[in-house]
Amino acid sequence: MARATFSCRTRPRWHPRRNIARGGSSRSSSPSPTSPSTPRRLLQLLGVLENLKGITSNQVTSECVLQSHASGNTQLVNRTDAQALSQFSAQFISNVDEDKGCNFAAYVPLEEDTALQRAEWIKYLGTFTNSEDRANAVYDAIKINYLCLSKAAANLSTRFKPIVAWIEYTQGMWAFVKENYALQYVTDAGAEIVDATITNKRFNSSDPEDMDNFHAILCTVDVVIDQTYSLEPAEYKLSTFLENINVSQDSCFSFVSNRSIWRFDKRIGASGTLDWYDGAISQPQLVLGDLIEVFFPTGNYTTIYFRNLAKEEGVTVIGPEMCTRSISTPMEPIILPCQ
């Protein structure tokens, strides 16, 4: 069950036609495990987006929230204006370091260890919107699809189980990502994460011995997922990755020769914000579907959140014109074919 955390002792209860606002952290969304998440997609799945009357950041990756803002239904509110924020019955925040008052509620799915636990936060939001039944139905549909896909991936891996390195480059140092949710995604998609017993350190790109050790580990890898932060995701290309990792494009690494170098920044907002921290949290079955295609490519599936650097795939910039339904209409979860 998803955990609920509040910044005050009383629990705000939803009242029909009362407004809600989405607050947040001052940190920018990026390929970083510390980036703030947002509940906008979950509100769409609940069918209550019409009641989202305020946002405190323009870093938005939901096309229908962008449309709602463009139409005037959702206003941009100064996050430091306590009086303006007091008009809302609830404001969801991802930074809970300070006590904000009794209309603030924490939204922190990134603290969860698995993708399904993160998605289960829709039940928490459902308690604010009198949408418990809808929340349970949506989550159950997502969970069933996720588990079915994971079982199908396990069957694929009986013939071949690719070795995956999920890595990031920060301040001149390479490291293997340790977040439980990421490791679980890899396992659930039928692959194997590179041996953790040899990856429990950081590798200095300026130290030849360090890089030799790093490259020795990567020699065992079939697929690389690179979550290195980029201020402008569209400008992060294969050449960027190869330069950072000090590898040539004609190298004999399997992930280079097999063209399997991936990032989860395929869907971005106009400001470079990643939908990974909104849409991907709300529908993890789509992420799992992406990863199964990454690990066991068929050519018949178009990934949603992952793009292949080795094939020079670009990003998709999300705009309000991409919202094709009324904001008062619930968004149905996408159920991927599975048998």
Side-chain angles (χ1 to χ4, degrees):
M1 194 65 172
R3 297 191 303 271
T5 308
F6 290 83
S7 55
C8 61
R9 293 186 179 181
T10 58
R11 173 173 172 167
R13 178 63 182 177
W14 176 261
H15 298 285
R17 305 189 66 82
R18 289 287 298 279
N19 301 335
I20 57 177
R22 197 274 158 195
S25 165
S26 59
R27 298 167 293 183
S28 62
S29 291
S30 62
S32 163
T34 60
S35 295
S37 57
T38 68
R40 296 161 184 149
R41 297 279 181 182
L42 293 179
L43 294 175
Q44 289 177 245
L45 287 167
L46 289 175
V48 297
L49 186 58
E50 189 175 16
N51 296 98
L52 180 65
K53 299 300 183 181
I55 51 177
T56 60
S57 170
N58 60 2
Q59 295 183 339
V60 177
T61 59
S62 164
E63 52 268 34
C64 289
V65 171
L66 289 169
Q67 185 189 80
S68 182
H69 176 53
S71 68
N73 179 71
T74 302
Q75 303 295 322
L76 185 62
V77 181
N78 186 334
R79 65 190 305 272
T80 64
D81 188 339
Q83 183 175 356
L85 293 173
S86 67
Q87 69 180 296
F88 301 102
S89 62
Q91 184 194 8
F92 297 101
I93 60 173
S94 57
N95 186 347
V96 295
D97 292 338
E98 298 178 4
D99 187 0
K100 301 289 186 179
C102 285
N103 72 332
F104 287 74
Y107 176 76
V108 286
L110 292 185
E111 294 185 0
E112 304 290 357
D113 287 334
T114 72
L116 284 176
Q117 287 173 345
R118 293 178 171 197
E120 198 171 12
W121 275 75
I122 192 171
K123 298 180 181 179
Y124 167 71
L125 294 176
T127 64
F128 284 87
T129 59
N130 288 342
S131 306
E132 289 93 339
D133 289 345
R134 171 68 181 175
N136 288 331
V138 169
Y139 176 74
D140 288 346
I142 288 171
K143 181 179 179 180
I144 289 170
N145 195 217
Y146 185 102
L147 295 177
C148 179
L149 291 169
S150 183
K151 183 178 179 180
N155 292 333
L156 291 172
S157 67
T158 59
R159 298 189 298 272
F160 167 69
K161 181 173 287 192
I163 305 299
V164 179
W166 196 311
I167 57 179
E168 64 179 338
Y169 184 62
T170 308
Q171 297 180 334
M173 306 289 286
W174 280 102
F176 291 85
V177 171
K178 299 297 184 183
E179 281 75 25
N180 288 334
Y181 90 96
L183 305 185
Q184 189 68 52
Y185 261 139
V186 171
T187 302
D188 288 348
E192 182 178 340
I193 204 73
V194 67
D195 189 351
T197 62
I198 60 174
T199 60
N200 192 25
K201 65 166 291 185
R202 294 164 64 82
F203 302 87
N204 189 334
S205 62
S206 300
D207 185 328
E209 183 177 355
D210 257 13
M211 291 308 290
D212 284 346
N213 291 334
F214 186 48
H215 289 162
I217 296 171
L218 293 180
C219 279
T220 68
V221 169
D222 301 298
V223 179
V224 163
I225 298 174
D226 175 19
Q227 73 167 35
T228 300
Y229 168 77
S230 177
L231 184 62
E232 298 183 21
E235 299 304 314
Y236 196 102
K237 303 181 184 298
L238 176 62
S239 58
T240 313
F241 170 78
L242 294 176
E243 180 180 353
N244 288 342
I245 208 168
N246 194 22
V247 166
S248 64
Q249 192 163 350
D250 60 355
S251 73
C252 60
F253 288 103
S254 293
F255 57 87
V256 177
S257 58
N258 293 334
R259 303 170 74 192
S260 194
I261 305 167
W262 300 82
R263 286 174 63 81
F264 54 63
D265 59 358
K266 188 172 183 178
R267 286 176 54 85
I268 65 172
S271 62
T273 309
L274 305 192
D275 196 31
W276 180 258
Y277 297 104
D278 189 1
I281 287 177
S282 67
Q283 297 201 66
Q285 80 282 9
L286 302 183
V287 177
L288 189 62
D290 277 10
L291 288 173
I292 293 172
E293 179 65 21
V294 167
F295 302 151
F296 307 99
T298 65
N300 300 322
Y301 177 95
T302 301
T303 57
I304 297 172
Y305 294 103
F306 285 86
R307 64 185 178 103
N308 193 340
L309 286 182
K311 295 184 178 180
E312 301 291 353
E313 285 188 43
V315 303
T316 299
V317 180
I318 302 165
E321 71 283 355
M322 298 168 69
C323 182
T324 58
R325 69 179 186 284
S326 168
I327 62 172
S328 62
T329 302
M331 177 174 70
E332 294 299 329
I334 299 172
I335 303 302
L336 299 177
C338 181
Q339 53 182 326

